[in-house]
Amino acid sequence: MDRARVTGIDRLHRNARICCRAAGKGGGAILFDGPVAIGSGRWVPVPGPSGQGLWMEIKRIGVLEACRKRGFGELILKALEQAGREAGAEGAQLAVRHDQVRLVDFYAGLGYVLADDVELTTPNPRSPPPIGMRKDFRTNT
């Protein structure tokens, strides 16, 4: 494992906890390579399927183009999921934009399944409907 990745992992987890506490309602994670932020993501609490239980909505995971295909998106997602679990979330939902359908396989590989009933906290009425996905932490770790 290269030095930048190890540094990124250590700082990612520390920043995820800080962001979650500071936000009070959801949180985020920032991945650094030395002093440079190379990726981030955030989450907000939402009701679970059919309005039952506490879940989390994963929002806006992004990694700089030069840093993609190195596992950093997965690191960010896992840090967000861990923060949600620590906050009592029973699962996570997310949306894949219509112009990023390649990410459906990425999320499916990490335990997410298609879910046509995902309701987003901030839908964009000017964009085509996204693809909803969900992961139940009670049955899928």
Side-chain angles (χ1 to χ4, degrees):
M1 188 175 290
D2 67 342
R3 185 177 182 283
R5 188 169 179 142
V6 172
T7 301
I9 291 170
D10 292 342
R11 295 199 59 190
L12 172 69
H13 291 291
R14 187 168 43 251
N15 280 298
R17 284 191 212 96
I18 291 168
C19 290
C20 289
R21 279 196 305 266
K25 182 175 159 185
I30 304 168
L31 180 62
F32 289 88
D33 181 359
V36 178
I38 61 170
S40 65
R42 60 189 171 105
W43 71 275
V44 295
V46 296
S50 303
Q52 304 298 310
L54 172 66
W55 280 52
M56 64 188 299
E57 181 179 326
I58 305 287
K59 303 174 76 65
R60 300 191 185 273
I61 292 178
V63 175
L64 293 178
E65 190 169 348
C67 299
R68 292 181 187 156
K69 305 288 185 193
R70 293 170 43 192
F72 295 140
E74 181 177 349
L75 284 175
I76 293 167
L77 177 64
K78 288 185 176 186
L80 295 173
E81 288 178 346
Q82 183 58 38
R85 283 185 175 96
E86 289 172 6
E90 298 173 354
Q93 67 180 33
L94 54 83
V96 177
R97 290 192 337 228
H98 73 283
D99 60 335
Q100 295 186 329
V101 293
R102 71 189 184 286
L103 294 176
V104 170
D105 289 337
F106 169 76
Y107 290 117
L110 296 170
Y112 285 78
V113 296
L114 295 174
D116 60 3
D117 62 340
V118 168
E119 293 185 31
L120 301 177
T121 56
T122 54
N124 183 345
R126 289 179 265 171
S127 293
I131 300 164
M133 300 187 79
R134 181 176 288 132
K135 180 177 182 178
D136 190 329
F137 297 154
R138 299 165 296 181
T139 59
N140 189 333
T141 56

